[in-house]
Structures are given as C-alpha cells and as structure tokens.
Amino acid sequence: DTEVTQTPKHLVMGMTNKKSLKCEQHMGHRAMYWYKQKAKKPPELMFVYSYEKLSINESVPSRFSPECPNSSLLNLHLHALQPEDSALYLCASSQDGTRTEAFFGQGTRLTVV
Amino acid sequence: QKEVEQDPGPLSVPEGAIVSLNCTYSNSAFQYFMWYRQYSRKGPELLMYTYSSGNKEDGRFTAQVDKSSKYISLFIRDSQPSDSATYLCAMWRTGRRALTFGSGTRLQVQP
C-alpha cells in the first residue's frame, strides 16, 4: 500500500475562518511534506517533517501552521488566509527523506473567498 | 539558472507514438531521480524511481539516467490518450531533505 490520504478533497473558506487540512500515511515513512501547487506550476515546498520534527520551513507565512501529532499524521492549520492562497495543497511522504521514493496524496483544492 | 530544467511543452503526439521526456540538472549532488505523472487537479503519481546511470523499464515506461551528462529521460512506448497529463521529473540532492522538481512537461496524445 503506497497510499497517502488527504482530507478534505475540497475546501472553501473565508478570509476570517480557521480550518485544517489533514494527511495520513501508513507506510511507516518518517518524512512528511506539505507542498502548494498553483495551476500549471510544479509543486512548491512549504514544510518538511523528519522523524516528527520540523526540519524545513520554506519561509511560509505564519497564517499556515503545520503540526505532526505522530509519525502517521500531518496537519496544516489555516488562519486568516488571502485569496492568493487558493491552490492545490499536497501532502507527501517518504521513508527517510533523502533518497527513497516519495508518494503524494490527491491533494486538497483550497479556495479562499 | 534553475537547478533542474524541463521543457514545459505542450508536446502533442499521435496515439501509438514513442514519447521522449527529458530533464537536465546542473548539480552533481543530485543522485536519486523520479518521474511523476499528474492529471489535472490530481496529486502526482509516482511512475519511476532510479538512482543508477542506465535504463530501467516498467511496462511501457523506460527511465534513463546519464549522470555524466546530468540528463534524465522518460520514454513512453505505444502512447495512449490516457497518457495525456503533465509529467514531472524530481530528484533528491545530497544534503537536502526535500525534492527538487522540474517545471513539468504537458503531454497530449491525440487519438
């Protein structure tokens, strides 16, 4: 099983709302990632968790707050987003974050109104 | 200059054609390579993973790596309309715990 599950699939939120994106994998992977993807662009790295510790934050605005409650789960908390934050948010995982295959979820399509 | 260069296309071919997709990279620290297929509004799907120079085959797909030239390719034989998607190359660089992506090539296979 190489599945990374993301919920919800679609999310519409107002600029004053607080919402969370969730990601789950059961492959025993110890590295998990959040990416943001705009139309016709490649995925853009936001955060990397390695062994449940935040190892990379690509200077993401504080209105995005990641959380890794355990080795299988990854959350992205959203607050006071802007319309330009509308995008496909992708979660991915890999065994050790250095050389092995990386698997992506199907993404959450976020629209900020 | 980007670390990984990939022609964005679009690339349009007739059904049954052999497709060649390519990426070049500038840093020899890139050692592990992947190809993803991404349909519109979906997450990237891993097609191939390679780390050695040479060829790796899986069904209609062949991944080729030439580390001396810093060049990787994905060949699709007997292309089908269902292969119409964006193809992304991605690679791990020693010392960085994150993938570096090419910009993606949009492929259209005409019936």
Side-chain angles (χ1 to χ4, degrees):
Chain A
D1 181 13
T2 57
E3 192 168 0
V4 176
T5 304
Q6 288 187 244
T7 55
K9 288 186 170 46
H10 302 276
L11 179 62
V12 179
M13 60 184 290
M15 289 189 284
T16 59
N17 291 159
K18 285 186 181 180
K19 296 286 184 185
S20 296
L21 309 184
K22 296 187 183 303
C23 175
E24 190 167 4
Q25 58 87 14
H26 295 289
M27 294 177 275
H29 289 176
R30 302 313 298 270
M32 295 186 76
Y33 312 82
W34 281 115
Y35 286 85
K36 173 182 176 180
Q37 188 177 29
K38 293 281 211 177
K40 300 190 183 195
K41 297 288 187 184
E44 179 186 334
L45 182 68
M46 300 176 72
F47 301 105
V48 179
Y49 272 83
S50 180
Y51 293 85
E52 297 157 54
K53 291 189 182 347
L54 184 64
S55 63
I56 297 178
N57 176 342
E58 291 285 272
S59 302
V60 178
S62 60
R63 57 185 184 269
F64 295 92
S65 176
E67 179 195 19
C68 189
N70 61 55
S71 59
S72 299
L73 294 174
L74 188 65
N75 298 323
L76 186 63
H77 303 297
L78 313 173
H79 173 56
L81 295 192
Q82 303 297 308
E84 58 265 29
D85 296 321
S86 299
L88 182 67
Y89 287 84
L90 294 163
C91 174
S93 73
S94 72
Q95 187 163 5
D96 64 0
T98 60
R99 69 189 77 176
T100 56
E101 295 106 316
F103 298 95
F104 282 80
Q106 288 300 296
T108 293
R109 181 152 298 279
L110 174 68
T111 303
V112 182
V113 297
Chain B
Q1 184 188 3
K2 291 181 183 176
E3 286 189 290
V4 180
E5 298 278 358
Q6 184 176 7
D7 188 334
L11 178 62
S12 184
V13 301
E15 183 175 353
I18 296 174
V19 176
S20 172
L21 303 165
N22 311 295
C23 286
T24 59
Y25 58 97
S26 56
N27 191 334
S28 58
F30 287 116
Q31 293 288 320
Y32 303 89
F33 308 94
M34 283 169 279
W35 284 97
Y36 290 90
R37 176 175 63 194
Q38 187 173 25
Y39 293 113
S40 181
R41 298 174 170 258
K42 300 290 187 184
E45 173 193 2
L46 180 63
L47 290 176
M48 300 289 282
Y49 164 76
T50 59
Y51 53 87
S52 304
S53 281
N55 293 350
K56 179 178 180 181
E57 192 172 314
D58 184 0
R60 295 185 297 113
F61 299 96
T62 299
Q64 187 175 79
V65 173
D66 182 348
K67 289 188 177 181
S68 63
S69 301
K70 298 189 183 67
Y71 189 89
I72 65 172
S73 299
L74 179 72
F75 298 96
I76 307 174
R77 288 184 296 283
D78 187 25
S79 56
Q80 303 295 310
S82 57
D83 294 326
S84 298
T86 295
Y87 290 79
L88 293 153
C89 65
M91 46 196 82
W92 294 112
R93 173 160 57 88
T94 307
R96 177 165 164 81
R97 290 180 175 268
L99 284 171
T100 301
F101 281 91
S103 56
T105 300
R106 199 152 49 95
L107 171 67
Q108 294 174 325
V109 181
Q110 307 292 343

